[in-house]
Every structure is written in C-alpha cells, then in structure tokens.
C-alpha cells in the first residue's frame, strides 16, 4: 500500500511541485524583501506537505512512539465526536462564516435550490469540482480501504476498528455534505457575476469552502496544525478555530488596506458580527440547549 501511494504521488505531484519550486526561486528575492519568513516558514512547508500528502512530520527510529501518539489522538477525537449531536448542530454557524466571503442573498438562493432538489444539486457540484467530489464522496479513503483489504486481509476485529474510525464523524460529515455544496454554489455564482469563467469560478468555490468550512487535507491546513505526533496532541480540534482566526485576520487586513480603519468601520463591523460574534453566541446557545441550560448541573 505504501509503495502504491508513493508511485501515485510521484506520478501526479512531481511535476507540479517542480513547477512551483521554479516559481518560488524566481520570486524568492522579492518575497524576502516583503516578508523574510514567507518562503521558509510558510510556502516551503506547505509545498512539502502537499508533495508528501502527510500531516504528521515523521521521526525516524522513534520506536513506534509517533504511531502510538497518533493512534491515541485519532481515537480521542473519535470518542469525542461519535454521535455528538450538539457539535453537529453547531456546524450551522458555518453559514455565518460563509457570509463573510459570499453575499447572503446568494447563500439563500443556493439553499433554496438545494432544498428543492438535494440529490441533483449535490451531484452537479461534485461534477463541477474534483475537490468537492472528494469532499462529498471520500473517494480516496474508500480506495485506501479497498487496497488494505486486498493486500493485508484484515481480521474481523481490524475491519470493525477501521469501520468505526472511518464513520466516527458521521454526523459532522452528514451536516457538511449539506452545507458545503450550498456554500460552494453561492461562491461559484458570485464569481460568475463578477465576470469569471467556469474554471476560475469553481476554484473560488473550492476556496470559499476551505476558508469558511474547514479542511484537514495536507495542502489545506496551516503549519501550526502539522508537526510531529507529540506536538499534534496539543492541537486537537484547533483546526476549525485556526481557520476562523485566519479568515477574520485576512478580512480585517483587507478592510484596513482598501478603505482604512475609519472608512472601513462598517465592513469591519460586518465581518466581526458574522465571522466571530454570531458563531460564538449561536454556538453557545446550541450547546446550552443540549446540556439543559446554564442552571442544569
């Protein structure tokens, strides 16, 4: 399975990675003048993660400690999220985050279309975007399971463990399979309104989903979410909030650069309310409702 993985990575990723490396060499001097840490601290680690498709930084000859820590981390996450109705309900606050990037009227329009024809709607999104097809159908995970079943012939217990880990986040996945296509379609339609072609509009749709709904893919996470297995123990569940912080930081910086603090106060307030205040308040109300209220011990 590892050999197949390496061959596929080399076949599909080697040339794109080399192309990006050439570009980085050409613009390296300019990047250093703007931000000396951009190349070594941001772009190079991102390129390495993308090329290797690894989130965890391997440590050679660690006696299996990294694998043990990674297993404990994944099982702790599965135990916390399996059948977690409150957490799944809190995901609806993702629409508020999406409204920071996409016009609310387009989100409402996409939501109406989804309610009218949910299956056709999701299939159209999956057909238009390879990224969304993988996100909705988990093709890579299914293929990995098939390869392991053929080559390793796992026992019944091992199959049960694999099934449990695969479906631990089934509620969260179910909610995301509704929300992500809606957000993608709204962002796609907004890009078309701005005069972009289908290909670029689809890319902006992918970007809107990653930046507002989160992703755990190696090429999507921030550097702080990667690292060795020991470090990653302390970043469990930090990905969503890191994504939110990056989204807010970027939007506030854009407001300051484009309008200034005074002229951009209205836009800044809009970003703060929809990107931070509304998700925090609604999320807390949901969790309190599931717990029986603040007075219920």
């Amino acid at each position: 399975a590892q050999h197949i993985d390496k061959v596929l990575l080399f076949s599909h990723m080697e040339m794109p990675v080399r192309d990006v490396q050439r570009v980085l060499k050409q613009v390296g001097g300019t990047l250093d003048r703007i931000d000396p840490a951009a190349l070594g601290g941001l772009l190079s680690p991102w390129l390495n993660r993308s090329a290797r498709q690894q989130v965890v930084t391997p440590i050679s000859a660690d006696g299996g400690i990294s694998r043990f820590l990674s297993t404990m981390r994944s099982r702790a996450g599965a135990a916390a999220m399996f059948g977690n109705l409150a957490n799944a309900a809190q995901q609806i606050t993702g629409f508020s985050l999406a409204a920071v990037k996409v016009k609310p009227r387009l989100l409402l329009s996409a939501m109406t279309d989804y309610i009218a024809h949910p299956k056709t709607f999701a299939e159209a999104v999956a057909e238009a975007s390879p990224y969304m097809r993988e996100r909705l159908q988990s093709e890579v995970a299914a293929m990995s399971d098939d390869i392991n079943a053929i080559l390793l012939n796992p026992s019944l217990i091992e199959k049960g463990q694999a099934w449990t880990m695969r479906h631990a986040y089934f509620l969260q996945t179910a909610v995301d399979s509704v929300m992500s296509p809606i957000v993608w379609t709204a962002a796609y339609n907004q890009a078309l309104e701005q005069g972009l072609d289908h290909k670029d509009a689809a890319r902006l749709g992918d970007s809107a989903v990653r930046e507002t709904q989160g992703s755990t893919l190696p090429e999507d996470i921030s550097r702080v979410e990667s690292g060795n297995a020991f470090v990653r123990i302390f970043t469990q569940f930090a990905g969503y909030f890191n994504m939110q912080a990056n989204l807010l930081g970027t939007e506030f910086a854009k407001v300051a650069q484009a309008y200034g603090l005074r002229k951009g106060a209205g836009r800044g307030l809009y970003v703060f309310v929809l990107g931070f205040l509304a998700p925090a308040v609604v999320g807390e109300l949901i969790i309190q409702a599931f717990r029986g209220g603040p007075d219920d011990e």
Side-chain angles (χ1 to χ4, degrees), residues 233-284:
I233 287 178
F234 301 98
T235 59
Q236 181 86 307
F237 304 128
Y240 178 85
F241 301 102
N242 182 61
M243 172 211 72
Q244 184 183 28
N246 279 330
L247 175 67
L248 294 175
T250 300
E251 292 301 317
F252 285 134
K254 286 162 62 177
V255 169
Q257 292 171 3
Y259 307 107
L261 295 178
R262 181 173 296 180
K263 291 183 179 180
R267 171 65 183 173
L269 181 62
Y270 176 86
V271 170
F272 172 75
V273 171
L274 289 181
F276 178 77
L277 190 62
V281 172
V282 174
E284 180 64 19

Side-chain angles (χ1 to χ4, degrees), residues 5 14 55 60 71 104 146 159 188 223 235 252 289 293:
D5 186 52
E14 183 67 17
V55 174
S60 61
T71 301
D146 290 341
K159 288 180 181 178
Y188 174 83
R223 188 182 182 187
T235 59
F252 285 134

Side-chain angles (χ1 to χ4, degrees), residues 220-241:
D220 294 340
I221 65 170
S222 295
R223 188 182 182 187
V224 70
E225 298 173 64
S226 63
N228 61 58
F230 177 76
V231 171
R232 280 173 48 79
I233 287 178
F234 301 98
T235 59
Q236 181 86 307
F237 304 128
Y240 178 85
F241 301 102

Side-chain angles (χ1 to χ4, degrees), residues 86-95 171-173 175-176 179 213:
N87 179 263
Q90 284 179 309
Q91 285 182 246
I92 64 170
T93 60
F95 282 129
L171 283 177
Q172 291 79 4
T173 302
V175 175
D176 182 74
M179 294 180 60
Q213 307 306 303

Side-chain angles (χ1 to χ4, degrees), residues 17-295:
V17 168
R18 289 185 183 183
D19 290 340
V20 174
Q21 286 175 334
R22 290 192 192 101
V23 173
L24 292 180
K25 287 180 180 178
Q26 292 173 2
V27 301
T30 306
L31 274 175
D32 285 340
R33 288 194 296 271
I34 297 172
D35 185 353
L39 190 59
L42 174 66
L43 294 174
S44 292
W46 163 75
L47 192 60
N48 285 330
R49 288 197 308 273
S50 301
R52 297 178 180 178
Q53 286 295 292
Q54 288 182 339
V55 174
V56 182
T57 304
I59 300 176
S60 61
D62 66 350
I65 293 176
S66 293
R67 178 177 293 184
F68 171 78
L69 293 174
S70 294
T71 301
M72 291 300 99
R73 184 183 191 275
S74 62
R75 290 183 179 178
M81 291 298 164
F82 188 84
N84 193 328
L85 286 169
N87 179 263
Q90 284 179 309
Q91 285 182 246
I92 64 170
T93 60
F95 282 129
S96 182
L97 282 175
V100 173
K101 299 280 292 184
V102 186
K103 295 177 181 177
R105 66 174 178 82
L106 293 175
L107 285 170
L108 288 173
S109 175
M111 192 180 302
T112 302
D113 292 340
Y114 179 88
I115 292 172
H117 307 284
K119 185 176 180 181
T120 306
F121 188 98
E123 289 175 350
V125 171
E127 184 177 349
S129 166
Y131 171 80
M132 289 300 295
R133 182 166 62 249
E134 160 59 19
R135 187 180 180 102
L136 295 173
Q137 300 175 2
S138 299
E139 292 177 348
V140 172
M143 182 178 68
S144 178
D145 286 350
D146 290 341
I147 291 173
N148 287 332
I150 293 169
L151 298 178
L152 304 180
N153 191 25
S155 66
L156 187 61
I157 293 177
E158 290 171 335
K159 288 180 181 178
Q161 289 176 337
W163 186 92
T164 302
M165 295 306 298
R166 175 95 180 275
H167 296 85
Y169 294 78
F170 72 95
L171 283 177
Q172 291 79 4
T173 302
V175 175
D176 182 74
S177 67
V178 174
M179 294 180 60
S180 289
I182 293 173
V183 173
W184 187 93
T185 301
Y188 174 83
N189 290 335
Q190 179 171 282
L192 292 180
E193 286 185 356
Q194 295 170 351
L196 277 70
D197 61 17
H198 164 75
K199 193 172 184 179
D200 286 335
R203 286 170 173 167
L204 283 176
D206 296 345
S207 176
V209 171
R210 280 196 302 267
E211 293 180 28
T212 65
Q213 307 306 303
S215 173
T216 58
L217 296 177
E219 61 269 26
D220 294 340
I221 65 170
S222 295
R223 188 182 182 187
V224 70
E225 298 173 64
S226 63
N228 61 58
F230 177 76
V231 171
R232 280 173 48 79
I233 287 178
F234 301 98
T235 59
Q236 181 86 307
F237 304 128
Y240 178 85
F241 301 102
N242 182 61
M243 172 211 72
Q244 184 183 28
N246 279 330
L247 175 67
L248 294 175
T250 300
E251 292 301 317
F252 285 134
K254 286 162 62 177
V255 169
Q257 292 171 3
Y259 307 107
L261 295 178
R262 181 173 296 180
K263 291 183 179 180
R267 171 65 183 173
L269 181 62
Y270 176 86
V271 170
F272 172 75
V273 171
L274 289 181
F276 178 77
L277 190 62
V281 172
V282 174
E284 180 64 19
L285 289 175
I286 289 172
I287 201 70
Q288 290 296 343
F290 275 90
R291 288 175 177 172
D295 296 329

